[in-house]
Amino acid sequence: MSHARDRLRSAAGRDIHTAVVLGTGLAAVAGAGDVVIPYAELPGFPQGQVSGHQGALVLRDDARGCVAFLLGRAHYYESGDARAMAGALETLAALGLRNLVLTCAAGGVREDLAPGSLALITDHINFSGANPLIGVAGDARFTPMVDAYDPALRARMRRAAGSANVALQEGVYMWFSGPSFETPAEVRMAGLLGADLVGMSTVPETILARHLGLRVAAVALVTNYAAGVHGGAPEHAETKRVAALGAEKMQALIAAFLEQDDA
Ligand code: HPA
């Protein structure tokens, strides 16, 4: 981790104040960066490939310092390790990171969360039973999860949506382990329990980030109706295709978010 930290510190040359994790099909959101570092050169970052993910970190300067875009994430379903993103997040936190913006593809449980919609994640339900803090010592592991998705950053994301003229819905995200998609019965259950979105990422990263003291904002791109909603039968190829179509909207939203102040 110290090697990755030193490498990033010298490559950035300035404080990395915000990191943006780009989910399936969303790598284009990073745009042209100033520096591109493959994860293979960053010990502790995800190694290996998942379809639809790239595996590199892009640094881009802005008025406040530097933004790190993480092109691709490691998922719980790849290894059964809920700490799959711990090395990357701990490295960034050690560099003084304050804000973590998570993006992901998700299935829409509500009928108004149609494919192509963007939704601000307001809260989550950890349905997987896994937790990245299992095995961590010390009282800090009892990490509070009220306002896990930071209210100030949520307000900032809403303002960004307004200024970028991008429609932004909101919803509660339920984490399923994957990699199989949900059954229609599971999706009906998710809706009854208060979920609006279902997905296979984001939640362990939010838990890790809160444990590290980072502020989190998360935006889902709805790539499909969840299983059984409108006869939905999700497929990974569809997830990648719709995510790529939605990447431009996500890019506009994230760019506006990075320009906004917290206030
Ligand atoms: N379920 C879980 N994860 C997803 C989905 C889905 O329907 N769509 C994109 N990621």
Side-chain angles (χ1 to χ4, degrees), residues 105-107 181-182 198-200 223-224 226 234 239:
F181 283 105
E182 301 73 30
V198 291
M200 306 178 193
T223 54
N224 54 280
T239 298

Side-chain angles (χ1 to χ4, degrees), residues 23-42:
T24 302
L26 292 170
V29 171
D34 300 317
V35 181
V36 181
I37 307 174
Y39 287 166
E41 296 174 21
L42 296 172

